Each structure stands twice: as structure tokens, then as C-alpha cells.
Amino acid sequence: MNQVPITALLAPLRQALASHKQIILEAPTGAGKSTALPLAMLDWPELDGKILMLEPRRVAARSVARFIAAQRGCELGAEVGYRVRGDSKVSRHTRLEVVTEGILTRMIQDDPELSGIALIIFDEIHERHLSTDLGLALALEVQSSLRDDLGILAMSATLSGLPLTTLMPDAKLLQSEGRSFPVTLGYSAPGKRDWLEHMGASLLELLSGKGMLPEGVAAGTVLAFLPGKAEIERLAGVIAERLGERLGDIAICPLYGELGNAEQDRALSPDPSGRRKLVLATNLAESSLTIDGVTLVVDSGLVRQAAFNPRTGVSRLALRRISQASSTQRAGRAGRLAPGYCLRLWSQEEQDRMARAEEPEIARGELVSMALECAAWGVRAFGELPLLSPAPSVNETLAWELLHSLELVDAERKLTPLGREAHKLGCHPRLAHMLLKSRLLARELDDPLLAPLACVLAAILEGRGLPRLGADISNYLRFGTTGQSAQQVRQWLAKLGLSADLAQVQREAHPRDMGLLLALAFPDRIALARGQQGFLLANGTGVSLDESDPLSQAPMLVVADFGETEGRSSGRIWLAADFDPRWLDGPLAFLTLEHDHSGFDEAKGRFVAERQLKLGQLVLKRTQLQSVPRALKTAAWLDRIRSKGLGQLNLDEDFQQICQRLDLAAELLGGDWPDCSEQGLLARLEQWLAPYLEQVNNLEQLKALNCARLLEQGLNWQQKQLLDEALPTHYPMATGTRAPIRYEADGRALLRVRLQEAYGMAQTPVLAQGRLKLTMELLSPAQRPLALTADLASFWAGPYVEVKKEMRGRYPKHLWPDDPAGTLPTKFTKKKTLANSAD
């Protein structure tokens, strides 16, 4: 450990801690920042208190803690320990505690002064996990207001694209060299071949020795990066089959988050039989893990990433190309111990097009739990915290709205008494609401097993690595009553002040009760069957279920878990329970709402109205109304116009002209003018059209509305006066004629007038306070177009000469002077003009 590059920074770092309480350390892969640094800090007497180190992943937290404990020669859980969700090895003697999975956030919330903590280390901060971003923000808040002696050390493999120095401008910046051996890069795109098949063939070449390795690279452990568990299991099966008899020489080791501790340790450690290893891993192997003997990396270049969809309220899983930063991290794993080789299963050109860094989780994840943490901390918006990146406003708003609907925060986003209890439970707010409400319902319904059953369901929903046993959650009860899940159930029961025989809970669980309980957590996911098209959720999302699944025949469901995938029009149900609608007449009646609805019956040609009992967007019951209230009729017309478009209205030439004038007014005059685009008109139907719809009973009457006049009546007096003055419908000629002006879509204003009436005009008239020149369409005495000009002076001096020659012969009775600009205008023949002049 004394040979790793980070040792060169130990003295400067120790000095920096004496004068700075915020330090940023940039140290590439292999520098020893996750192991040698905290190991050395245990011997620094000036750190008078415990050291907390945040690792984003559970596997890394356990691995790092075990390694440092071994280096100190102590038992894990003594001087060095770890704490992750569902597993911990700590004692009152622990001085270095490696934590993850929101544990740090919980510690800060429980003890804002962080009593006994001297330093918090944030490792692998460049991975931008949501819990890391939130933990750092809360730690900075504690440091600035309660503990100015608290040290914060933020460590990252790279600062590229990471705004740490902006968030902590006074922090001391230290940089370390990485310790890595040269890694030769190779590229092999699959072309038209299936990428997983191509990856399997590439791995078999390396394992069989057929693939040529660069000079100096030993055939050690092969680390392969894949998107997820499904691909790992599929590829492991293919390779095992292809290796055949040689399989005895190769240890195939999966490595992903859902694996148990023993299987994860097997992937990290040397093979007990001395076999060569093939480690098939997700992107968790990018972090602070040391995998024995890795000299070869095969990278699929793919990651399965969840992105929250605010429309449906769930996260959509999709395969994504990794970033350049991630590809660098993965390649670096091959050079930790010796010269290595990384085979990238894409082209060099693709590498150059990849994003520089991964998108932070706060920008794409569900934010409900974070909103509850913010409420518990006493802030009303994420922006009040010193976060590395802002959250999307729509995702944040939806998170607060869900907490409010679950009665966990009030209208001012303050934690309610129920919200305080929910936060103490330490689970997702939806599940916390189910647990707390189940305790109340158990008393009302005199059912002592109801709350324990809720705890079992919550453990199933928070569990990892469940087998596929269909969508019915009752098929998974045994997984919620055994192992770590049972331990979690008992912890929740203790916090609720309850106890139960879990075997009895599993044995006596009734599907009707499961539907009730899940509805407390997912009221927006109560679903109604819709024939062959699956189910419609209360939030308006369509979901489907395999026809062979028994739940597919249920009239109503509660969907606890469903997913969206690219290329599918509806979500896929993963976990659900049958729902008894009679609960909506009892303890869940508060979820329903009576709503009067009116619509236009196309077949009958008239309006119909009904009173609906609704649950979200689900209509549970309909009762016909004998008469249609005016307000309902107006709302129905507006719905119809919005769904079918403005084409149902009388959008005649007058309407087009008022719209063109208003658009020009907004462009040339400034100020607040109505938006006359289709989107703008539809958005403002309530303002300009709705007041006139109450008496409209059929389509003919709708079509008869003078929409141009209605739109103009929506202007205030000042707007009307300014529009008529600056952009009039007619132009007053000296002859007394009010010549019409046509406003066109390209912004041109066209004045149509007989040429003789334009005599005496030296320049083209202007509108809009001098900002718009009229384009003059000059007509013959027979009202035929002669010329089009926006520069009257140039026309008189040039083209008019040719027009005059031609028109004198065709219209000899009319005036065609040589000096039109100096001639009095007329709308009569020469004889009548002279007679008028004589008079």
C-alpha cells in the first residue's frame, strides 16, 4: 500500500485538513484513494472522531471495508466496518465506517450535528448517484450552519463535467497521478450481427487463446461489462455450453447488485481451485472494486438505464450507449495490476460520438424519496439545497404532488405528522404510507394480520433478485417472510409497535386484503380492464399483462410494479393484486369523486350529459342527466374543438385578417397581444370563445359564429384603438376611397387601388408607426392588376413609363399624365375629372 500514487499526497492532504475543511481530490483509477488514503487517516491524531466514507455501491462498500480491515489486521466491524441497507458490520469501537444506500442521509437527518464525526469522505462522486448528491448537499448544510469543524473530502476519478469547484469554491484542490499500466485498446463492432452473440464469440476467442493478445499482456482474468442481469445469465449459459470440456479450467463468475454477498465475494476473490476467471459484470465493476487478476476487459459499451417518465409516473428501462468517461473507467480495469488489453465492441468512430460523461441521476430519476428527505430537512424546494445539479422542474413538482396526495406533506410542503412517521420508517414514501395506514385499518376492520401483511408486501417490493413467478404478488409471499426480507419486516413491525408470526401471515394472507393494502401505496395505479387492450390505470396509463397470467381475467387490479420499454405502446405489468371494487364503498371511498360530464353525441347530433363516479381517470359508474347545464355544454364544446381542431369553426377571410394584424402588432409594436397561432388560440379558447358557446346547441350554430368579431371583442379598448390606427383594414385615399388592405402570412400588407387614385403620392405609405411599408397593387380602370410595388417613387420614375404607353391606347378616356407624382388623383375619366375641376 506504500507504493500507490496517493501516498505522495498524504502529507499535503494532512496539511490541507489543518487549514481547509473542504477538499477536492482528483485521483484516477489505481491511485489508491479508496483504500490507502482512509487506511493512512486512521493514524492521524488530528482527526479526533470517526471517519465516514460514502461508497455509491454496496459491493464496493463491503469490499473496501474488508480490505482496509485486513490491512489493519483487525476484525471487520471492529476498528473498520461498513453499513449498507440490510447489512452492517460496526461496533462502538469503529473509527472508519464505510456507508452507502442513503445511510449517510439517514445519519444526518437523525443527528444534524453528526456528533463524533470528524470527516466525511465522498468517494466516486463522479458517478453522480442521487444519494451521493443529496448526502453531499446535506453535509455542506451541516458544515455551514452547525459544524464548522466538520471536514468534507470529495474524491473523483475526474473533474471533467463535474461542477465541484463551483459548488465548493473555497475548497483546496489536490490532484494525484493514477497508478495504471498501459492498456492497449482494440475495437470490434458487431456490424449486422447480434451484439450479445458477437460478445460471446469475442470472449470465447480470448478464453481459448485464439485471439491474439498485444505483446506483454498476460492471459489473466477476463472482465466483461454487460448491461444487466438478464444478459449476464444468457451469456454465461452460452459460453458454458460452447466451452464444453474446457469449462473445468474456467470459473464463470457473475457480478451484479442483486447477487448475495457470497456470490459477489466469489467474483472478486481468486478462484479457490486456481482456475482462470471470467467475470461477467454490470457497470458496478467500474467503481472502487479490486477484482483479482484482471488483465483483459471486453466492453459491450452498453448500460441499462432507468429514466423517469413524468407522464406515467414510472421509470422506463432502456439500453443506452455508455459515455466516454465510463469507457475510460472500464478500460482502466485492465491495467490495475499489469499491462492490459481492452476490447471495445464498437467502432472508433462511435467512440468519438459518445457523450463525454454520464447524465446525473437527479436529471433522470424519480424524486419522491428525495422530496421527503427535503421536507424532513425543512426545505420546500430542491433549489434551496447546495446541489451539484438542478432537478427537472416537472419531476420535482410531481414528487411533491405525490407526497401531498399521500398526506405526507401539507400544501406548503411541510412534513405532516404522518409524514414524520413515514420518514422514520426509511422506505419509499408510497410503502411508508401503506404501512402506517394499514395499522389504522387493522383497528377499524379488527384484523391484526393486516399491518404485518403490509410489511411483507413492502419487503417484496423492495426486494432484489425475485424469480419470475407471474404477476400475482401472492406468489411471492414466501420471499417476504424469509431471509433478509423477514429481518426487514420485523424492523418495520417494531417501528409500528407490532409483532406477528410471519408464517401465519403468509398462510392466512387473502388476495382481497393485498389489493386493499397495495391501493394505499399505489392509488394512482388502480386499474380497470378494457377488453383485449389490457388495463387502464387511474393515472391514465395503459398497461398489459400476458394472456396466460390468471390476473389477466380480473376486472380490476392494483399494479404495484410495471415497466416501460422502448418500442411498446403500453407498460408491462410485473407485480399486481386483484382489487375488490367494494373497498371503494368503504375504507377507500375517499379516492373517488363524482363528476358531471357532457359530450357531443355524433350519431344523435346533440349533447348528452352524465354524472360519473371517477377514480382518477377511471369511470366506475355513469348516470344519465336529463338536462345539460350550460357550463357543461360549454366545456363539452371546448373539449370537442380541442380534440378535432379549429376547423370546426368559421375561420373565414375576416378571421384570417384579424389574426394577421394581431401577429404583426406583436412583432412590430410590442406589448401583450393575443397569440393567434393554432396552439395559442386553442390554449385561450376559454377567453375568446367560451362566453359565446352557452347558447350553441348544434354544429350549424357553431359554424355560424362570427369568430373574427369574437376574437376582436376580446381586445381591450387600448388594444383596439392602437390596432385600428397602426394596422387598419382600409387606407384613406385622397379621392375619398377607402382602399382595402390585405395582410398576408409573410408579413406583407397589400393595398389594392386603381392607379389613377395613387397620383400625387410621391412615396409609398407606411403603417405600424413607420415600421411597415405598404405594398401597392395598382389596378387598371377595369380593376385588373397593372403593377406591384413597395417603392412608389421608383415605380413612377421607371416602370410607369411602359405602363402609361400601353394603357393610353387601351383606356384613352382615362388620365395617363407624364408626371404622376405631381398630378391630382382621380377616380373618374378625363372628361369628368376636367368637369369636376371646372366646378
Side-chain angles (χ1 to χ4, degrees), residues 110-144:
D110 292 343
D111 178 15
E113 293 189 359
L114 289 176
S115 306
I117 306 296
L119 175 70
I120 305 177
I121 302 173
F122 292 86
D123 194 16
E124 307 288 5
I125 203 167
H126 61 276
E127 293 192 10
R128 301 304 309 277
H129 291 265
L130 185 58
S131 59
T132 304
D133 282 13
L134 178 60
L136 177 61
L138 294 182
L140 290 171
E141 290 255 300
V142 169
Q143 189 187 62
S144 65

Side-chain angles (χ1 to χ4, degrees), residues 53-66 76 81-89 98-103 124 127 129 131-132 255-265 268 282-285 287-289 462-465 484-485 488:
M53 184 161 77
L54 179 70
E55 286 290 341
R57 303 177 188 276
R58 294 187 306 157
V59 183
R62 293 176 51 253
S63 174
V64 166
R66 183 182 295 107
L76 186 62
Y82 69 85
R83 194 169 0 162
V84 302
R85 181 153 191 164
D87 185 21
S88 67
K89 294 285 184 180
V98 188
V99 299
T100 188
E101 298 267 337
I103 299 295
E124 307 288 5
E127 293 192 10
H129 291 265
S131 59
T132 304
L255 180 59
Y256 49 87
E258 297 173 9
L259 280 176
N261 294 349
E263 290 86 352
Q264 291 176 354
D265 293 343
L268 302 179
T282 61
N283 60 348
L284 68 81
S287 62
S288 305
L289 289 174
E462 288 209 334
R464 296 187 175 201
Q484 287 190 349
S485 292
Q488 179 64 76

Side-chain angles (χ1 to χ4, degrees), residues 368-380:
V368 179
S369 294
M370 183 170 176
L372 186 65
E373 293 292 350
C374 286
W377 190 247
V379 299
R380 308 291 175 255

